[in-house]
Amino acid sequence: MPDEAATENILKAELTMAALCGRLGLVTSRDAFITAICKGSLPPHYALTVLNATTAATLSNKSYSIQGQSVMMISPSSESHQQVVAVGQPLAVQPQGTVMLTSKNIQCMRTLLNLAHCHGAVLGTSWQLVLATLQHLVWILGLKPSSGGALKPGRAVEGPSTVLTTAVMTDLPVISNILSRLFESSQYLDDVSLHHLINALCSLSLEAMDMAYGNNKEPSLFAVAKLLETGLVNMHRIEILWRPLTGHLLEVCQHPNSRMREWGAEALTSLIKAGLTFNHEPPLSQNQRLQLLLLNPLKEMSNINHPDIRLKQLECVLQILQSQGDSLGPGWPLVLGVMGAIRNDQGESLIRTAFQCLQLVVTDFLPTMPCSCLQIVVDVAGSFGLHNQELNISLTSIGLLWNISDYFFQRGETIEKELNKEEAAQQKQAEEKGVSLNRPFHPAPPFDCLWLCLYAKLGELCVDPRPAVRKSAGQTLFSTIGAHGTLLQHATWHTVIWKVLFHLLDRVRESSTTADKEKIESGGGNILIHHSRDTAEKQWAETWVLTLAGVARIFNTRRYLLQPLGDFSRAWDVLLDHIQSAALSKNNEVSLAALKSFQEILQIVSPARDSEKPETPVGTVPVPVLIGNISGQGLSRPFVRTDSIGEKLGRCSSEPPVVTDEAEDLKLWWAAWNTWHRTGSESTEPPSTFDELTFIPSQPFLTALIQIFPALYQHIKAGFSMADLQKLGVILHSAVSVPISSDASPFILPSYTEAVLTSLQEAVLTALDVLQKAICVGPENMQIMYPAIFEQLLAFVEFSCKPPQYGQLETKHIANAKHNQIQLFAPAEWVALNYVPFAERSLEVVVDLYQKTACHKAVVNEKVLQSIIKTLRVPLSLKYSCPSESTWKLAVASLLKVLSIGLPVARQHASSGKFDSMWPELASTLEDFLFTKSIPPDNLSIQEFQRNESIDVEVVQLISAEILPYANLIPKAFVAQMMTMLNRGSIHSQPSSFTEAEIDIRLREEFSKMCFETLLQFSFSNKVTTPQEGYISRMALSVLLKRSQDVLHRYIEDERLSGKCPLPRQQVTEIIFVLKAVSTLIDSLKKTQPENVDGNTWAQVIALYPTLVECITCSSSDVCSALKEALVPFKDFMQPPASKVQNGES
């Protein structure tokens, strides 16, 4: 075809001219020849501004919309005289129809490629023309970029079709190949020509970007693909083109068109990866500047918000870590920065990919990175904990923090050395510049700062909104401080306590007290939430418990480190304040846990003076086992230390644990007592009003509270005053009075048949027991506390008949122990305990204590005996009406015991008048008991009745043994009361409610007999030593004789009235008893010295005679025989009447 050959020749000539003009630097002529070739390559009338303008102007600022095209094969058409080889779409904003390429166009295109390939070095600014033309041709032919930037024939895409003939189809791979080779050959261009090429590609790319704005159609990616290709082949001199190249690609990455920015990111990440793997000269490890230069664009990508770009960026980081992780060196901060730049709102997949990178770093690369980057790792890991997109990531990142802390611990020595070295260098630089070195937690040494950053991060996670994260972070924080805290310098502990732990406690307390009380229905998805965690408040409660317990544990185990810090007492006060506010919180879980923590910090004993106090509960503070006995080399630790930490530990073990100043120590204990007292008073004080929401402390809480006292008291007993005792008493009393909520009662109330104390009541008695034991061995001035203790115990004894009130709260008394039956009322909200066992145990304690202390001055002066009698008077007078029968029996037994000890003391002090008020109280008490107004229950068996009577008899025996023999030391009025009482007892007092059949048994015969015998015994005495004794005898006799007279009269009356009916047996028995008594009496009177018997008495005796005679008519043989014996002694009174005395003679 001659035509083709001619064209070929013309093109050759133009090529040669263009190259020649380029060589000679004739810019205008060069551009003219090139323009001619370019025009020939494009379809006729193709609107390409670059070629129409004389200079290489860039495209105008119109936006170009670019559409994809599908490729379709057609056979050559012969419509025009030129052979059409392809039909495609123009690269324009609004493509009008299609354009056709003829074979001549393709021929020109080859020439153009040839020109660029062979003469690229002389093209200069004409690159713009050449590249623009090529871009259009590539577009019309439908070539698309593939990996590495080479252009391949595109697969069929929707849209107006690109039609290619078979002829050109075979040419396409060749064209594509030449195109790639053209850019590969850019490595042979000199630096200036290379810059021309890059500039031309960048401006082309800008045009393509302009065109692609505002729509999402297929953009022209020619320039981006070729920039990538150019970069890859010029890696050996990457520095000179890196900045313009990556700067432009970063702009492409921000493009709104997704296809455009995807290719920008692809190109950029491919270049970075290639740059890092390329064998540079010198290698990257020695050329840090170049390494940072290469990594910098990766960091810059963090400023782009498109998630697809960020995903590419993170995938790139992951690949870099996998291939070059070991050799990153100074690039670590950049890489870590990329992971840390992921924000919470950037979607789960991004966060997950970034987190994968972090996990890889923590598991594989901690040892290879510079130590100064470790802090960044901690920060990044912490920031993932705070992301709330995915709970598992947060929890895993807390796990990573634990792994990091473990790594710090194991490599501590190396890390510390390296950090100190770096610190020194930075210090020097800072001084040269005249600025101060600024890093967090500054005065602490750098290694400690690393730990503090870790603790602070975990501390932030401890107040995360999600309960699972808080729990996990809290456990990790306290485990880390517990396991690795010994590595810190001593002074750093100050920061740990104030900046980390107390700061955390403050935040937790605040969040807990303001947390929402609304019920949370479910835990997301179909997870059910346990009722103890179904409100935000309850979930925060768990956090509060965990945090407080953790801090208390540190105070306990690390006391030996904290105490020498200087402001330990201030820290102690703050901790106590936290314990107090938690203990007073209206949440049972928190308040109980607060007391557990309180108990924990009080387990500490100062090691001095242990010889003096045998009963301290705990030995000296053990220095934690971690320290062991440390010899120079053989440290029981994963690393041998010779540096400061080793010395520190060595020091620790050689000196005694903590010898603190006594006064300082005492101050701490008193602070604890004050906290205990405030907590106790506020928690047990009854609220003024009650409704459903009233908070009433639980039994376990109160028990724990009271159990703290004995341990605390050991330390403050020296200064424990009456006022303190009063405070304690109020708390004990209120605590015991608190009722139980009915839903808890089955677990706390003993079943009604057992008389068991609840653990709270046990604790209260133990507290008083500890006190009285201490007073017992304590100095004289402590003994004045005995009466107060008695008062407290007696108040508890009163509970047996009158349970305590808790404010205005209505409680149901659950155990009506009178008939040992339980009555469950309609379920009350609050149930009062059965206080009987507690009151009875308290009474036993009183008796026991009184036996030990009856003679103490304070006990005598404060009229303790009178108080005991007064308290016992209540159950004794109630007798059968007591809630529990055991109560009055125990009360009698106790009274007898107490009197057997107390009366001798009372007699001893008779003259001092200290017991004067006690006697009337005792008289009333005995009377109320022996002649009780309460009626025995109907179901009382005869055996029971007799047992109860024997108790009454014991009381009378006490009167005869302990009171009457000492009448001279006892107020007369009291003795008179006793006599009257015995008299009343010796007359059969018969309760009216009995049926005839029972009467004989129900009368207290034994009791009456005992009273009578006692009266008889004291009616005269052979050894009258004082007028007082004679007086008691006279009194007793007249009472006795009067009584005999009454009985006889009554008998005669009844006998006369009864006619033939026999009298009741009990009356017969009584008369026989009286008659026997009369004979005994007369016998005794005869034996007595005559001067001891008063004439009045004789007169009373003789006055009985006529009454006796009247009894002769009785029908009972028993009475008759007794009467005979009574009448016989009267013979001694038969005497002839005495003669009148006259004149002094008889």
Side-chain angles (χ1 to χ4, degrees):
M1 216 186 203
D3 192 8
E4 205 167 302
T7 313
E8 189 68 42
N9 287 335
I10 296 167
L11 286 169
K12 259 192 194 147
E14 286 197 350
L15 174 75
T16 314
M17 285 310 290
L20 181 61
C21 297
R23 278 281 156 78
L24 299 173
L26 306 172
V27 179
T28 321
S29 332
R30 175 195 70 193
D31 286 0
F33 282 116
I34 293 177
T35 307
I37 303 175
C38 289
K39 276 188 173 166
S41 309
L42 291 168
H45 318 303
Y46 190 85
L48 182 55
T49 351
V50 182
L51 305 181
N52 301 343
T54 44
T55 55
T58 51
L59 283 157
S60 64
N61 272 343
K62 294 196 295 261
S63 68
Y64 292 87
S65 96
I66 304 176
Q67 293 173 346
Q69 47 272 355
S70 60
V71 179
M72 210 170 78
M73 294 213 184
I74 52 164
S75 49
S77 94
S78 45
E79 281 171 19
S80 76
H81 62 289
Q82 275 290 358
Q83 183 190 8
V84 175
V85 288
V87 180
Q89 252 185 315
L91 176 57
V93 189
Q94 262 80 30
Q96 287 86 19
T98 52
V99 289
M100 295 181 236
L101 285 181
T102 60
S103 52
K104 188 185 278 177
N105 293 142
I106 298 291
Q107 208 174 350
C108 296
M109 181 177 175
R110 284 188 162 179
T111 310
L112 194 56
L113 285 168
N114 214 347
L115 166 75
H117 203 283
C118 305
H119 306 290
V122 296
L123 288 181
T125 47
S126 310
W127 273 111
Q128 205 104 7
L129 294 171
V130 176
L131 292 174
T133 311
L134 289 174
Q135 181 182 7
H136 282 271
L137 287 166
V138 164
W139 182 261
I140 295 168
L141 290 169
L143 295 174
K144 295 285 150 56
S146 64
S147 64
L151 295 165
K152 297 281 188 309
R155 291 161 305 294
V157 194
E158 325 69 63
S161 50
T162 297
V163 194
L164 304 177
T165 59
T166 30
V168 83
M169 276 307 271
T170 50
D171 260 358
L172 276 183
V174 184
I175 293 175
S176 150
N177 217 347
I178 300 176
L179 264 173
S180 287
R181 280 226 306 289
L182 160 63
F183 288 96
E184 275 167 29
S185 63
S186 67
Q187 56 187 306
Y188 306 117
L189 297 176
D190 56 80
D191 292 359
V192 180
S193 309
L194 186 60
H195 268 293
H196 280 305
L197 174 59
I198 300 274
N199 284 343
L201 282 170
C202 288
S203 52
L204 267 189
S205 171
L206 281 170
E207 291 160 17
M209 278 162 72
D210 282 347
M211 279 174 135
Y213 267 112
N215 59 44
N216 226 0
K217 295 174 184 155
E218 182 76 12
S220 165
L221 297 169
F222 175 81
V224 174
K226 294 306 158 195
L227 277 171
L228 170 59
E229 240 181 340
T230 314
L232 291 175
V233 294
N234 287 290
M235 221 18 112
H236 56 285
R237 48 175 174 180
I238 194 68
E239 271 186 77
I240 59 165
L241 58 126
W242 189 251
R243 282 208 172 82
L245 191 60
T246 55
H248 177 74
L249 288 174
L250 280 166
E251 280 176 46
V252 178
C253 289
Q254 296 178 52
H255 198 279
N257 183 308
S258 60
R259 182 107 172 93
M260 188 92 189
R261 63 167 183 264
E262 181 194 343
W263 257 93
E266 174 65 40
L268 190 53
T269 51
S270 303
L271 283 170
I272 295 172
K273 287 186 288 200
L276 289 172
T277 42
F278 187 78
N279 281 330
H280 295 274
E281 205 39 63
L284 277 184
S285 51
Q286 290 160 34
N287 186 354
Q288 292 183 2
R289 203 177 59 77
L290 178 59
Q291 187 179 27
L292 292 177
L293 180 74
L294 292 173
L295 284 169
N296 206 40
L298 197 56
K299 184 179 119 205
E300 294 292 324
M301 287 174 88
S302 298
N303 303 326
I304 299 169
N305 282 334
H306 297 295
D308 50 350
I309 301 298
R310 295 301 282 279
L311 199 57
K312 273 267 196 298
Q313 173 199 25
L314 289 169
E315 282 166 0
C316 176
V317 168
L318 200 55
Q319 286 163 330
I320 291 174
L321 285 175
Q322 284 160 345
S323 57
Q324 260 98 22
D326 295 332
S327 54
L328 276 174
W332 273 110
L334 281 177
V335 174
L336 292 168
V338 169
M339 297 173 213
I342 293 296
R343 287 200 321 276
N344 209 355
D345 51 8
Q346 286 176 324
E348 218 175 290
S349 60
L350 269 189
I351 293 177
R352 197 164 274 160
T353 315
F355 189 62
Q356 258 179 319
C357 300
L358 178 68
Q359 278 177 297
L360 187 64
V361 171
V362 175
T363 46
D364 293 3
F365 297 119
L366 290 179
T368 59
M369 66 171 68
C371 290
S372 52
C373 298
L374 291 172
Q375 191 180 325
I376 308 177
V377 178
V378 171
D379 286 341
V380 173
S383 67
F384 276 106
L386 294 168
H387 282 324
N388 56 16
Q389 288 281 332
E390 170 68 56
L391 182 62
N392 282 342
I393 285 185
S394 299
L395 296 176
T396 318
S397 68
I398 294 171
L400 288 183
L401 284 169
W402 170 254
N403 296 350
I404 294 170
S405 77
D406 232 25
Y407 168 74
F408 290 172
F409 184 65
Q410 282 157 3
R411 302 283 295 260
E413 208 178 339
T414 352
I415 298 177
E416 191 173 12
K417 274 189 189 148
E418 196 177 319
L419 285 173
N420 287 341
K421 206 158 76 186
E422 196 164 319
E423 169 95 343
Q426 283 176 340
Q427 194 79 46
K428 199 166 153 197
Q429 275 179 350
E431 277 164 19
E432 283 167 12
K433 290 183 188 153
V435 288
S436 60
L437 190 61
N438 140 3
R439 64 175 165 72
F441 305 111
H442 177 61
F447 184 49
D448 286 14
C449 287
L450 196 52
W451 282 109
L452 289 171
C453 287
L454 180 71
Y455 295 156
K457 265 290 172 246
L458 284 166
E460 273 175 56
L461 290 166
C462 288
V463 288
D464 190 88
R466 294 159 298 172
V469 174
R470 294 200 295 269
K471 185 174 179 182
S472 178
Q475 288 168 338
T476 307
L477 174 65
F478 294 114
S479 307
T480 322
I481 297 181
H484 309 145
T486 40
L487 292 186
L488 297 174
Q489 298 282 342
H490 190 208
T492 310
W493 274 98
H494 189 275
T495 318
V496 173
I497 293 296
W498 291 98
K499 298 267 176 63
V500 179
L501 299 179
F502 284 159
H503 175 61
L504 173 61
L505 266 176
D506 285 335
R507 289 178 67 181
V508 171
R509 172 163 65 181
E510 190 181 330
S511 302
S512 300
T513 42
T514 54
D516 198 359
K517 296 181 175 58
E518 282 304 301
K519 196 162 180 227
I520 304 166
E521 284 311 324
S522 76
N526 46 6
I527 304 170
L528 288 175
I529 294 188
H530 190 262
H531 66 82
S532 63
R533 291 280 172 266
D534 61 3
T535 69
E537 185 188 27
K538 290 176 184 175
Q539 293 171 347
W540 270 105
E542 182 184 26
T543 308
W544 198 355
V545 168
L546 185 79
T547 315
L548 191 58
V551 176
R553 193 169 319 117
I554 289 169
F555 262 77
N556 192 5
T557 54
R558 297 277 179 257
R559 168 93 176 248
Y560 68 101
L561 288 172
L562 304 182
Q563 213 154 354
L565 280 177
D567 56 359
F568 183 71
S569 62
R570 192 160 67 94
W572 181 255
D573 289 341
V574 173
L575 179 61
L576 287 174
D577 173 57
H578 276 288
I579 287 177
Q580 184 184 327
S581 50
L584 293 174
S585 73
K586 305 273 183 252
N587 179 302
N588 277 325
E589 183 187 6
V590 175
S591 53
L592 187 57
L595 294 183
K596 294 256 165 63
S597 302
F598 199 1
Q599 284 171 339
E600 181 162 9
I601 63 172
L602 294 185
Q603 285 306 302
I604 314 161
V605 184
S606 69
R609 288 194 319 169
D610 36 29
S611 53
E612 271 178 48
K613 24 186 198 184
E615 69 263 58
T616 41
V618 201
T620 51
V621 179
V623 178
V625 187
L626 260 180
I627 291 171
N629 45 354
I630 297 182
S631 56
Q633 300 78 30
L635 262 168
S636 55
R637 239 198 178 65
F639 51 80
V640 179
R641 293 193 148 237
T642 46
D643 61 333
S644 59
I645 292 180
E647 288 158 29
K648 197 160 36 179
L649 292 169
R651 274 205 307 281
C652 248
S653 63
S654 56
E655 57 190 27
V658 195
V659 179
T660 49
D661 144 29
E662 284 294 307
E664 178 70 20
D665 227 28
L666 210 54
K667 207 168 108 191
L668 301 179
W669 290 115
W670 278 101
W673 156 255
N674 290 331
T675 298
W676 187 86
H677 168 240
R678 282 194 300 268
T679 307
S681 346
E682 285 185 41
S683 60
T684 57
E685 190 181 338
S688 45
T689 55
F690 289 94
D691 55 26
E692 282 68 73
L693 298 171
T694 305
F695 179 78
I696 290 185
S698 69
Q699 292 285 310
F701 168 80
L702 295 166
T703 310
L705 178 73
I706 305 299
Q707 282 169 345
I708 291 174
F709 174 75
L712 187 53
Y713 177 70
Q714 295 303 342
H715 299 281
I716 55 172
K717 57 183 169 197
F720 199 74
S721 66
M722 273 305 279
D724 294 320
L725 184 57
Q726 241 80 57
K727 291 176 183 174
L728 173 71
V730 173
I731 292 176
L732 294 180
H733 196 289
S734 315
V736 179
S737 317
V738 174
I740 307 178
S741 77
S742 49
D743 42 2
S745 56
F747 305 107
I748 295 169
L749 287 176
S751 67
Y752 64 94
T753 48
E754 324 166 59
V756 187
L757 274 67
T758 64
S759 45
L760 169 62
Q761 295 169 345
E762 290 274 11
V764 169
L765 291 175
T766 310
L768 288 171
D769 187 51
V770 166
L771 265 174
Q772 58 118 332
K773 282 191 177 129
I775 296 171
C776 182
V777 296
E780 194 61 38
N781 61 358
M782 278 177 86
Q783 318 229 322
I784 55 166
M785 295 190 183
Y786 275 134
I789 290 185
F790 275 113
E791 191 186 333
Q792 192 63 56
L793 285 162
L794 289 171
F796 294 153
V797 175
E798 284 172 15
F799 290 176
S800 61
C801 305
K802 182 173 174 291
Q805 266 287 301
Y806 184 65
Q808 308 301 306
L809 185 64
E810 287 300 306
T811 54
K812 301 274 189 276
H813 295 291
I814 191 163
N816 176 354
K818 185 168 163 191
H819 304 307
N820 254 351
Q821 66 202 26
I822 210 156
Q823 300 164 338
L824 287 170
F825 295 91
E829 279 307 297
W830 296 99
V831 181
L833 290 154
N834 173 3
Y835 284 102
V836 175
F838 174 58
E840 292 181 3
R841 175 75 67 83
S842 305
L843 181 52
E844 288 165 17
V845 176
V846 168
V847 174
D848 207 40
L849 184 57
Y850 189 73
Q851 282 176 325
K852 289 187 209 157
T853 60
C855 303
H856 277 294
K857 207 157 63 218
V859 175
V860 173
N861 292 344
E862 293 291 325
K863 308 197 166 116
V864 168
L865 182 58
Q866 184 182 338
S867 313
I868 296 178
I869 295 170
K870 188 174 171 188
T871 305
L872 290 177
R873 186 175 167 181
V874 181
L876 289 176
S877 58
L878 283 172
K879 201 164 182 178
Y880 295 115
S881 315
C882 281
S884 163
E885 191 189 1
S886 55
T887 306
W888 69 262
K889 291 185 175 170
L890 180 67
V892 175
S894 307
L895 181 67
L896 295 174
K897 253 191 216 161
V898 167
L899 288 176
S900 64
I901 300 151
L903 288 174
V905 179
R907 292 197 301 268
Q908 210 178 327
H909 291 272
S911 54
S912 68
K914 284 175 184 159
F915 283 91
D916 289 357
S917 54
M918 185 271 296
W919 296 109
E921 186 72 57
L922 178 58
S924 323
T925 304
L926 291 171
E927 192 160 347
D928 286 351
F929 175 66
L930 291 174
F931 305 105
T932 176
K933 296 185 179 58
S934 72
I935 299 166
D938 304 338
N939 60 359
L940 194 68
S941 70
I942 288 170
Q943 289 78 14
E944 267 300 299
F945 188 84
Q946 284 170 342
R947 272 204 291 278
N948 292 354
E949 187 185 358
S950 68
I951 295 177
D952 298 350
V953 170
E954 269 180 63
V955 176
V956 178
Q957 281 169 342
L958 174 91
I959 295 172
S960 78
E962 286 289 339
I963 295 173
L964 297 176
Y966 306 100
N968 56 338
L969 297 169
I970 293 171
K972 279 185 188 169
F974 178 71
V975 178
Q977 276 173 304
M978 290 293 105
M979 285 305 195
T980 322
M981 200 166 73
L982 288 171
N983 182 24
R984 184 179 164 191
S986 60
I987 299 169
H988 279 306
S989 39
Q990 98 185 42
S992 52
S993 67
F994 297 144
T995 56
E996 273 304 299
E998 285 178 310
I999 280 184
D1000 49 345
I1001 307 153
R1002 287 297 163 99
L1003 282 170
R1004 296 187 289 178
E1005 272 186 29
E1006 284 299 315
F1007 169 65
S1008 298
K1009 206 158 149 196
M1010 187 68 209
C1011 288
F1012 193 78
E1013 280 171 13
T1014 307
L1015 271 177
L1016 201 54
Q1017 183 190 343
F1018 286 97
S1019 23
F1020 51 85
S1021 163
N1022 293 337
K1023 314 180 288 296
V1024 175
T1025 49
T1026 63
Q1028 182 112 33
E1029 275 189 43
Y1031 154 78
I1032 182 178
S1033 311
R1034 284 198 299 281
M1035 191 159 65
L1037 273 176
S1038 79
V1039 165
L1040 182 64
L1041 289 164
K1042 182 173 175 304
R1043 180 174 169 257
S1044 305
Q1045 190 75 283
D1046 294 347
V1047 173
L1048 289 165
H1049 274 305
R1050 201 173 68 218
Y1051 178 71
I1052 295 162
E1053 262 325 279
D1054 293 351
E1055 172 90 357
R1056 193 175 297 137
L1057 293 173
S1058 68
K1060 293 279 181 287
C1061 295
L1063 285 173
R1065 196 183 78 105
Q1066 129 271 344
Q1067 207 170 349
V1068 175
T1069 318
E1070 185 177 30
I1071 189 83
I1072 292 171
F1073 185 62
V1074 167
L1075 292 169
K1076 282 184 182 162
V1078 170
S1079 53
T1080 322
L1081 173 63
I1082 295 173
D1083 281 352
S1084 315
L1085 281 173
K1086 280 183 196 157
K1087 289 177 197 153
T1088 313
Q1089 308 283 310
E1091 65 271 19
N1092 278 352
V1093 183
D1094 156 13
N1096 223 346
T1097 312
W1098 287 123
Q1100 269 184 305
V1101 172
I1102 293 168
L1104 278 174
Y1105 187 70
T1107 321
L1108 290 170
V1109 173
E1110 275 188 48
C1111 295
I1112 293 174
T1113 57
C1114 75
S1115 52
S1116 156
S1117 57
D1118 292 348
V1119 175
C1120 287
S1121 59
L1123 186 58
K1124 208 190 293 178
E1125 280 177 30
L1127 283 170
V1128 171
F1130 275 88
K1131 72 173 191 314
D1132 294 341
F1133 300 120
M1134 312 285 183
Q1135 277 177 357
S1139 57
K1140 301 270 192 305
V1141 175
Q1142 282 174 350
N1143 306 329
E1145 297 171 2
S1146 61

